[in-house]
Amino acid sequence: MSTITITTSKGAKTIPIEGNAINNKSFGDLFSSIESSLAEFDVTLTRGDDSQETDIDAIKGETIAQGSRVEFTLKNDEALSTKEVNKIIEALKAKAKTLKHADA
């Protein structure tokens, strides 16, 4: 199982991607579910910490490796309500379920 952790101004949320073997799913597949929300709320999602962050556009083609634990940060979300942040997280969780790693 892989996990993706999103750190927001409202706390960190972990999204599991279950299964045994990766089925060529990329971060682009996952993030397609929230691109409109990110634009609507004028926030960005970055990978890594402040000293070494990468915009999600740069990693869209990267495959989500089996067993990976990847961390992202939602930037500029301080003005959002908890409900708005949760809308983004829930969209990612719903998409992650459809990207379930194929069983070996």
Side-chain angles (χ1 to χ4, degrees):
M1 179 173 81
S2 299
T3 59
I4 295 175
T5 301
I6 310 286
T7 300
T8 74
S9 63
K10 314 296 187 227
K13 308 283 185 183
T14 299
I15 300 165
I17 300 177
E18 301 194 18
N20 297 322
I22 190 63
N23 192 22
N24 296 323
K25 301 301 181 188
S26 71
F27 288 108
D29 293 323
L30 178 64
F31 294 136
S32 65
S33 64
I34 61 162
E35 286 179 335
S36 62
S37 292
L38 294 177
E40 174 188 347
F41 297 133
D42 195 28
V43 295
T44 56
L45 192 64
T46 60
R47 181 177 182 178
D49 58 27
D50 288 336
S51 65
Q52 197 177 11
E53 63 185 41
T54 306
D55 187 86
I56 61 169
D57 287 337
I59 61 163
K60 280 185 176 177
E62 189 177 318
T63 298
I64 303 172
Q66 177 188 350
S68 62
R69 286 168 175 63
V70 188
E71 296 185 15
F72 293 91
T73 302
L74 194 61
K75 297 283 190 173
N76 307 318
D77 67 329
E78 295 81 9
L80 298 184
S81 68
T82 300
K83 183 177 180 181
E84 290 168 326
V85 170
N86 286 341
K87 177 182 176 183
I88 294 171
I89 300 299
E90 290 306 315
L92 278 173
K93 283 183 178 179
K95 185 66 173 185
K97 286 181 182 176
T98 69
L99 298 182
K100 181 190 281 192
H101 295 321
D103 290 327

